[in-house]
Amino acid sequence: MADDKIPTEQWAQVVEETGGPVVYKKIPVQKPGPDEVLVNVKYSGVCHTDLHAMMGDWPLATKKPLVGGHEGAGVVVACGSMVNNLKVGDYAGIKWLNGSCLNCPYCENADEPLCQGALLSGYTVDGTFQQYAIAKAAHVAHIPRNCDLEAVAPILCAGITVYKGLKESGARPGQMVAIVGAGGGLGSCAVQYAKAMGLHVIAIDGGDEKGELCKRIGAAVYVDFLKSKDLVADVKSNTPDGLGPHAVLLLAVQEKPFQQASEYVRSRGSVVCIGLPAGAYLRAPVFDTVVRMISIKGSYVGNRVDTAEALDFYARGLIKVPYKSIGLSKLQDVYTLMRENKIVGRYVVDTSK
Ligand SMILES: [Zn+2]
Ligand SMILES: [Zn+2]
């Protein structure tokens, strides 16, 4: 039931016009519906998707005006009358998938991210760049009590996304996975999940700084595409039997790595696409794909079990996401840095500042 300490107004960053900028202002606090909870968002990670939502450059319309954000970590302050899986005071996470119908063939098969009635936080419904946000109770992430709410925030999109991709790859403990874009925000998360899952990681990215990061967080090998004269040969020669990695996780935002992956993946291996280079296409030789039995697939965000598992890896101390803190009032500065490609790691906004 609603607590009388919940204010009627709160600070939020609002996209009033497509293209931005975000406007820092006071807006009303919403009341949760019967199947919803109200979460006092303490921290929210900032994801590239949030910039796309502001710019309106994806082929999917956003709500307007819009409060962005989908990596929100906070505390439940009010529950709707039908909610019985959460209570006031619980730690809760609001992720990209805010809600789904729970009744369609996809939801029935635990493929809720594919639900045609899915609600997307910070995109089709207001998200976590506000102090109090609404989420469907069935989809709220249960954050273990021992987690630091600021540090755990990036797990709610970046962590779940790469963990799901690794599961989709089918790679088993002891096998090798190549992670393309390993030195980026998603990549550094993926390297740690892969290592925790017992996989050997071949990290692929550009530059010495990213190479040092990848090695430090557990990659067995680093292949620098800026220095390599033959990337396909270099990746294969870095596997003990020379046959290539069992799986490839593509987190890059350029198109070229998507074409190379099917050349160096091991026969019977899988290529998992996660990054979204604008307007890109996949191209692979049909002959090789057939006679080498290669699987090429996409992986989107995780379902509720993937969410719980990804958070559990984090709670056991196996994943550390490098992040910088900044006040919610400075969100536009983060977007500016993002546009200039100047962000290493992730920014997490503190909604109290
Ligand atoms: Zn995201
Ligand atoms: Zn559904």
Side-chain angles (χ1 to χ4, degrees):
M1 281 298 106
D3 185 325
D4 44 42
K5 281 179 291 191
I6 299 167
T8 54
E9 278 201 322
Q10 57 161 344
W11 286 103
Q13 285 282 14
V14 184
V15 179
E16 297 190 323
E17 283 169 53
T18 301
V22 280
V23 180
Y24 188 57
K25 62 191 275 195
K26 283 209 156 177
I27 62 169
V29 173
Q30 306 294 315
K31 289 203 169 24
D35 60 343
E36 295 172 339
V37 293
L38 182 67
V39 176
N40 175 201
V41 179
K42 303 288 189 189
Y43 300 96
S44 179
V46 188
C47 173
H48 243 98
T49 300
D50 300 315
L51 179 59
H52 289 292
M54 181 175 82
M55 300 311 292
D57 55 9
W58 271 3
L60 177 65
T62 67
K63 171 186 177 289
K64 266 183 241 165
L66 174 73
V67 176
H70 58 274
E71 284 185 348
V75 180
V76 175
V77 291
C79 297
S81 58
M82 287 163 60
V83 175
N84 54 19
N85 63 333
L86 283 159
K87 58 183 190 309
V88 171
D90 284 350
Y91 276 6
I94 298 183
K95 55 193 172 53
W96 174 244
L97 198 66
N98 188 286
S100 71
C101 83
L102 305 175
N103 292 311
C104 70
Y106 298 117
C107 286
E108 284 179 338
N109 274 308
D111 265 335
E112 308 100 290
L114 306 180
C115 176
Q116 295 190 321
L119 305 174
L120 308 174
S121 303
Y123 205 96
T124 63
V125 296
D126 284 341
T128 55
F129 295 146
Q130 57 182 338
Q131 295 174 306
Y132 293 88
I134 300 271
K136 295 287 183 192
H139 276 283
V140 164
H142 297 248
I143 298 179
R145 203 71 205 184
N146 68 337
C147 293
D148 177 301
L149 288 175
E150 185 171 27
V152 77
I155 299 297
L156 295 162
C157 179
I160 294 168
T161 300
V162 298
Y163 175 64
K164 176 69 165 182
L166 286 162
K167 282 178 80 174
E168 287 288 317
S169 79
R172 294 193 304 273
Q175 297 188 330
M176 282 160 288
V177 59
I179 297 176
V180 185
L186 280 179
S188 57
C189 227
V191 172
Q192 296 176 70
Y193 273 102
K195 183 167 184 245
M197 292 163 83
L199 297 161
H200 298 284
V201 175
I202 301 174
I204 304 173
D205 214 318
D208 292 338
E209 195 187 340
K210 288 187 169 171
E212 279 153 32
L213 169 71
C214 292
K215 289 278 184 72
R216 194 167 66 238
I217 59 179
V221 177
Y222 178 63
V223 178
D224 188 336
F225 71 78
L226 295 173
K227 289 183 186 159
S228 172
K229 293 199 172 62
D230 184 346
L231 187 82
V232 173
D234 288 346
V235 172
K236 292 176 91 163
S237 69
N238 270 298
T239 57
D241 51 15
L243 296 175
H246 299 79
V248 184
L249 225 60
L250 288 162
L251 307 171
V253 287
Q254 298 84 32
E255 186 169 339
K256 193 175 174 199
F258 284 73
Q259 323 298 6
Q260 292 165 325
S262 66
E263 293 181 52
Y264 59 69
V265 73
R266 173 180 297 246
S267 295
R268 248 255 196 258
S270 59
V271 175
V272 182
C273 305
I274 295 174
L276 296 168
Y281 280 83
L282 274 164
R283 206 167 291 123
V286 172
F287 186 84
D288 277 52
T289 306
V290 172
V291 304
R292 302 213 298 111
M293 297 185 74
I294 296 165
S295 305
I296 300 176
K297 52 157 72 174
S299 178
Y300 187 35
V301 294
N303 64 19
R304 290 175 285 171
V305 169
D306 302 320
T307 300
E309 291 173 357
L311 282 166
D312 180 59
F313 274 80
Y314 178 85
R316 283 186 282 143
L318 298 166
I319 314 293
K320 302 239 176 329
V321 185
Y323 68 90
K324 292 194 183 88
S325 305
I326 194 166
L328 175 63
S329 59
K330 300 278 193 302
L331 179 64
Q332 186 61 38
D333 296 353
V334 181
Y335 288 149
T336 303
L337 290 169
M338 215 176 239
R339 266 207 208 130
E340 293 167 358
N341 251 324
K342 282 189 183 152
I343 296 185
V344 180
R346 215 141 179 99
Y347 270 92
V348 174
V349 296
D350 177 342
T351 64
S352 71
K353 295 178 194 165

